[in-house]
Amino acid sequence: MAIGKLYIGRKIRELRDAHKSTQSKFAERIGISTSYLNQIENNQRPVSASVLVALAEKFEINISELSSGEGDRLLSALSEALNDPIFDNLNMTAQELKLVSQSAPNMAHALIRAHQGFRRNSEQLASLSDSLGRSASLAETTPFEEVRDFFHFVDNYIHALDIEAEKLSQELQLENSDHRYTQLCQYLEQKHHIHVVSDKDSGEILRQFDPLTSTLRMNPYAAPSTRDFQLGLQIAQVHASELIENIAKNANFRTQEAFEICKIGLQNYFAGALLLPYTFFHSTAAELRHDLELLSVRFGASLEQVCHRLSTLQRPGLKGVPVFFARVDRAGNITKRHSAARLQFARFGSACPLWNVHEAFETHDRIIRQLAETPDGARYLCLATQISKGTGGFSRPQQRYALAFGCEISYAHTFIYSDDLDLSARASFTPIGVSCRICERTQCPQRAVPPLMQKIHVDHNSRATLPYMIEKS
């Protein structure tokens, strides 16, 4: 897919501000005029290839970091919002959307939030028409959604927290340890005077901390990777509490509920970064060519923990392969998601039924592969597998999910799963979409609903797979 013109004025301005440089000095350093730099920063002119090269040489930055990141995710969310029929007379071009997301990101966020409120309000009014008088708050973003968007738009990477967790991991020498559980317990006992005990009567509770007695009760029937993670989460609460509190406060959430949910998310982030420290995990993933099962064994982590951590490798100057990651339940709900690739998950509705993540529920204990192509022409290596979560025992409930993981085809060679696949043959790629409601494919036999922005035609004398035809725009 051809790379379009880059309007990245905001990122250029942030780079200049970070180096505390005036426009004239910054322009002189990269060999352009001050007026040209001013036009670039105000997105009146795109950045040329020579300017990108100069920026990379003078400031030792990765060019890909300038042209990706929040802008891609924000552009995807904005595009999905504007595909709603209420905007069908605007006819905004892709370039206009890109300019808005790059030049006025706060305005884009405001529009997305307003559209979310409109959707929720419309859905509730349709199903609860008899209770309009007590539904004033239905248009508000839920605390969970607000926190989800927070992590989404910071690229699922929290630098200060990641650095602090890696530092502690090195101090505890966890990188090459086969006794992490013992080491983590000893750290809590010696450093924070928290006594860890096994509680066979804990039922479905994984971790229970009593602040009065400084006792942490752990479920002995949980998987070792789960127990280690829960210890890491407890360490996050006592070791990085102030840092986590400040990060959550600076996010400026609208409700206390969102603030508390975010703190849980940040504690989970710290635990993952502690057990899978960034630099070592980054190099090991490259060395093992992203073999998820080997990484799981190497770090004593679950497949979900490994996939999630790979999706957070966004450290400036040491980025990992840009991947997408999602966890899907049997009903098709995406319960966890992040994408550093161009593939962005739908914010509303279920995932494409042609995506191999749904097939994972039929193939136990096996990673399945798919070569897929989205309507924009981008191609991906998609991996999927089923996982079960629970505290063991016949009578205990088991949660079943499918994990979806992958990368753009240009990075497929860094994955061991691509070795025997024909990446050059177009016929090898399954055409998939993001969600039926915004997918532009007109001939898809698995379509659940018509696309929002296209008209349909019903022929009563003819019937194909679908009971209607989609008119091409």
Side-chain angles (χ1 to χ4, degrees), residues 159-170:
H159 185 72
L161 208 55
D162 211 295
I163 293 294
E164 184 61 29
E166 183 174 35
K167 178 181 176 183
L168 180 59
S169 182
Q170 292 171 347

Side-chain angles (χ1 to χ4, degrees), residues 166-216:
E166 183 174 35
K167 178 181 176 183
L168 180 59
S169 182
Q170 292 171 347
E171 290 177 4
L172 300 181
Q173 299 180 338
L174 297 178
E175 288 185 356
N176 295 294
S177 174
D178 295 324
H179 309 285
R180 291 194 307 182
Y181 185 82
T182 301
Q183 289 172 274
L184 295 172
C185 289
Q186 290 176 345
Y187 170 79
L188 284 169
E189 178 81 56
Q190 296 170 6
K191 184 69 175 180
H192 299 284
H193 310 293
I194 294 176
H195 185 50
V196 181
V197 298
S198 179
D199 184 2
K200 295 181 180 179
D201 299 320
S202 54
E204 297 177 27
I205 302 297
L206 297 174
R207 173 184 59 88
Q208 182 74 56
F209 178 62
D210 184 350
L212 295 178
T213 62
S214 292
T215 301
L216 178 63

